[in-house]
Amino acid sequence: MVRAPADWRSVLRRAEVLVRRRDMRSLELLLPALRWRSVTARNRAVVLLARLGPMVVPALFATLDDARTAAERGGAADALGRIGDSRAVTHLLRALEDPAMTVRRASINALLRLEAMNAVPRIARLLEVDESSGVRVIAAGVLGKFEDPRAVPALVRALGDVQWYVRQAAATALGQIGDRRAIAALEKATRDPRKSVARAAAAALRALRG
């Protein structure tokens, strides 16, 4: 990443004028902005890219697939999810294998925005095998929002994750899905030594039995 220029706000204001005109020259300002260290500035650039809509999707594919920095690739994934173009699903599924944790997280969230149900098995696998607990907790939360019963076995196993916040997210997700196959595992999780996990499991059981 590189430091955002001192006048980054004016750079993005110029880009916004071009975005309103649907002028592809805005990419000359916005795509480099994805490399900036400033999260605020990068997020502003992502929002502007998303406002360009489907016309910018090919450029975002190239960035997601080939950009040198994780910040660029993650920003592209975020923008693609916001645009909502189903052509992005294949690229985002590939990005679930990206070496950078931030890109995998952004891609999981983008697939949820796109309501890509075919991503559920891949996200469930990440929940089980990803070395980053940050990815696993996002995966658990997103699987709950998909409300797809195919995720239940992976979520049940995640109730034994080494990180309490992954266990808590898994319990909450199982409550959202509402599959009664999870009852026995959730009953066990109500005795988790971490109180927040036990409470999440109890809430999930109430949702399943209600």
Side-chain angles (χ1 to χ4, degrees):
M1 289 189 288
V2 297
R3 187 183 299 277
D7 64 341
W8 67 263
R9 289 179 177 82
S10 64
V11 171
L12 293 183
R13 281 196 294 270
R14 292 198 302 274
E16 186 170 13
V17 170
L18 294 171
V19 168
R20 285 200 296 266
R21 297 173 183 166
R22 315 293 288 172
D23 190 326
M24 291 293 282
R25 289 178 297 174
S26 58
L27 295 184
E28 297 171 10
L29 300 172
L30 293 173
L31 290 178
L34 296 180
R35 292 196 296 267
W36 294 346
R37 285 197 187 98
S38 167
V39 174
T40 300
R42 285 205 317 273
N43 286 345
R44 287 269 301 277
V46 165
V47 169
L48 289 172
L49 282 164
R51 281 174 52 185
L52 286 165
M55 64 188 294
V56 76
V57 163
L60 291 172
F61 286 167
T63 302
L64 178 62
D65 293 344
D66 300 320
R68 183 175 61 84
T69 70
E72 292 170 277
R73 300 193 303 275
D78 190 355
L80 287 166
R82 292 170 184 267
I83 290 169
D85 190 315
S86 61
R87 291 176 296 169
V89 171
T90 299
H91 292 262
L92 290 165
L93 286 171
R94 282 204 301 268
L96 295 179
E97 305 297 327
D98 194 281
M101 174 268 290
T102 53
V103 179
R104 300 196 299 277
R105 289 181 61 168
S107 299
I108 291 169
N109 282 320
L111 288 162
L112 175 64
R113 284 180 180 267
L114 288 165
E115 300 179 355
M117 298 300 291
N118 60 326
V120 168
R122 295 282 297 278
I123 296 172
R125 174 167 170 74
L126 282 185
L127 172 60
E128 298 207 75
V129 305
D130 202 283
E131 63 184 15
S132 166
S133 59
V135 171
R136 298 198 305 276
V137 72
I138 290 292
V142 163
L143 289 170
K145 292 181 175 68
F146 271 116
E147 299 184 1
D148 189 322
R150 289 178 296 172
V152 168
L155 287 164
V156 165
R157 287 189 286 272
L159 292 175
D161 195 277
V162 65
Q163 297 293 347
W164 68 266
Y165 44 85
V166 178
R167 302 197 301 274
Q168 180 178 332
T172 299
L174 288 166
Q176 291 172 312
I177 294 171
D179 191 308
R180 295 181 65 83
R181 288 177 295 167
I183 287 178
L186 286 168
E187 287 175 339
K188 181 179 178 181
T190 61
R191 299 186 293 276
D192 193 282
R194 190 80 182 201
K195 289 183 179 180
S196 59
V197 177
R199 287 195 295 267
L205 282 171
R206 289 194 295 273
L208 265 64
R209 291 167 170 163

